[in-house]
Amino acid sequence: MNSKYIVLMVRPVLQTVTAAVTMPGGGGAPPGTPSAKPKDKQRTKVVVALYPFKAIESGDLSLEKGAEYEVIDDSQEHWWKVKDENGSIGYIPSNYVKEKETIGLQKYEWYVGEMSRQHAESLLKQEDKEGCFVVRNSSTKGMYTLSLYTKFNHPQTKHYHIKQNTRGEFYLSDKHCCPSIPELINYHKHNSGGLCSRLKTTPCDRPAPPTAGLSHDKWEIDPSELVLLEELGAGQFGVVRRGRWCGYIDTAVKMMKEGTMSEDDFIEEAKVMTKLKHDNLVQLYGVCSKHRPIYIVTEYMRHGSLFNYLRRTSPDQLGPAVLLGMCIQVCNGMAYLEKQNYIHRDLAARNCLVGDGKVVKVADFGLARYVLDDQYTSSGGTKFPIKWAPPEVLNYTRFSSKSDVWAFGVLMWEVFTCGQVPYGRMKNSEVVDMVQKGQVLEKPKGCLNEIYSVMRACWRHMPDERPSFRVLMDKLTTIERTVLAD
Ligand code: ADP
């Protein structure tokens, strides 16, 4: 496992936040928000807290939701130094705040930003209230979608695109146009105006997202700050337990069996890995490396591995839209890793986890490089993930983002068969033969042709002919929008 890898961490500049003005992904001021103004480079940057944050480490500063803070230093990507209204100064997680001028829709409880159709549906279903709604970024860039839950006839979520007329006004049903999205939402709070229900309520407070590390510049975690709770499972590296950091942050603690990994190399790498941050990646908070066994501390994911989740859920409960939504979330996390030139090397349903609101995240990225067990690292080994490996990995152990793409195709197959084992009971040597001959997995029962053809594109023999994760995201969201839309 000596393949070359490069990690590019992008150092942010002040303009990063300004760029969010036109990007729905950043939830910045969209055209429908009255407050979009040109930016004056000389002025002080003021941010508003989207979530509360509790400072525990010295040097950090607590955030109160909705309060304003002056930014003193934003030269680090994930932790900024800010000043509160009392003049106290400290570090805060940069993903917990938004620049006041570009805050746009984010100040509204009903705006959830980058949320998939499937995630919105499960969030609203969980609330189970007539007229419960959210507004999210549409899969078409720059557009917004209203997701609205109704119990009329039978419980269901309807999705409406927020459209704009030639005068730039916003509407859901064309009789009722408003100059901004907040005004449109307000109108539909009082009039259903063609929707399946009036807009009545929004889901309870959204949980705060994970931070990059547990505190500013902290990746070494003091084990005395961790309370270890029940066992969550056991993997090839050892036992995983739920933990609470400083009494309030849920974590998963992987206790690495001694001798299973090259620890010093991993500890070095962990400093970089804590800085990888995406909604569809399981956040690495840090490590406890001063004692043995070392602990790897990550974000806690309530519903465990995607593989087990698929196995214990009946296929009727998970329709094609939900299954596709899971694949899109994994693809989104992988597109981020691809952009950072970071190779996963062991992508499979067992290495993805399911959290609150059925969000799916990719875990264990890059870990394979530090495993010491030959049976796992060499393609001839009994523990090597052969069934997820493309020809160039089987032949030359040549890992790349395109070998991750092949594995993603197999993961899609696992999802659409609800957790069947690829190639059934075939022996590893038979699988290798089959893959070398260009034979691929069959179409899962009931799987749409459009979805199966995406899997087949991931299994093209030559790595360069496989689509990138970025292209896969476009393909999958187009299928979601055009083939599976209500
Ligand atoms: P493996 O070594 O086989 O990849 P892991 O050590 O990653 O397995 O995890 C073993 C089990 O522990 C998983 O199947 C899952 O049930 C549980 N687990 C691992 N990480 C988490 C987490 N972050 N949150 C919740 N459960 C987890």
Side-chain angles (χ1 to χ4, degrees), residues 292-341:
R292 296 293 178 269
I294 62 168
Y295 294 171
I296 298 182
V297 184
T298 68
E299 176 183 2
Y300 169 64
M301 300 289 286
R302 186 174 309 280
H303 299 289
S305 89
L306 174 61
F307 177 73
N308 289 332
Y309 183 81
L310 290 164
R311 298 283 290 192
R312 64 173 181 262
T313 319
S314 89
D316 315 333
Q317 268 174 280
L318 304 168
V322 173
L323 298 175
L324 182 62
M326 290 174 162
C327 296
I328 289 175
Q329 293 186 66
V330 172
C331 189
N332 207 8
M334 291 304 300
Y336 170 83
L337 285 186
E338 174 183 75
K339 206 168 156 198
Q340 312 286 329
N341 290 322

Side-chain angles (χ1 to χ4, degrees), residues 87 104 107 116 128 142 214 289 300 363 372 397 403 431 451 462:
K107 68 178 170 212
S116 70
D128 196 28
L214 288 168
S289 68
Y300 169 64
L372 289 175
T397 327
S403 62
V431 174
I451 292 173
M462 300 304 290

Side-chain angles (χ1 to χ4, degrees), residues 232-240 251-254 282 298-305 308 346 350-351 353-354 363-364 367:
L232 297 171
Q236 58 173 326
F237 299 112
V239 171
V240 182
T251 62
V253 182
K254 219 182 233 201
V282 173
T298 68
E299 176 183 2
Y300 169 64
M301 300 289 286
R302 186 174 309 280
H303 299 289
S305 89
N308 289 332
D346 195 6
R350 65 182 173 277
N351 282 332
L353 294 163
V354 183
D364 290 344
L367 220 58

Side-chain angles (χ1 to χ4, degrees), residues 150-166:
T150 177
K151 292 178 161 186
F152 187 67
N153 280 337
H154 65 278
Q156 58 178 318
T157 300
K158 295 259 188 196
H159 304 273
Y160 303 90
H161 280 146
I162 300 181
K163 302 189 199 84
Q164 257 183 305
N165 63 19
T166 48

Side-chain angles (χ1 to χ4, degrees), residues 108-127:
Y108 298 98
E109 285 297 312
W110 39 258
Y111 179 65
V112 292
E114 210 58 55
M115 182 180 277
S116 70
R117 181 189 187 90
Q118 180 223 350
H119 190 175
E121 285 183 7
S122 68
L123 184 74
L124 294 170
K125 193 166 155 204
Q126 221 165 295
E127 261 338 90

Side-chain angles (χ1 to χ4, degrees), residues 39 52 74 142 272 285 345 359 387 411 445 469 484:
K39 189 176 149 100
D74 61 1
V272 174
Y285 284 138
R345 288 156 201 258
V359 64
K387 293 175 169 180
L411 179 144
K445 216 168 87 211
F469 283 105
L484 291 176

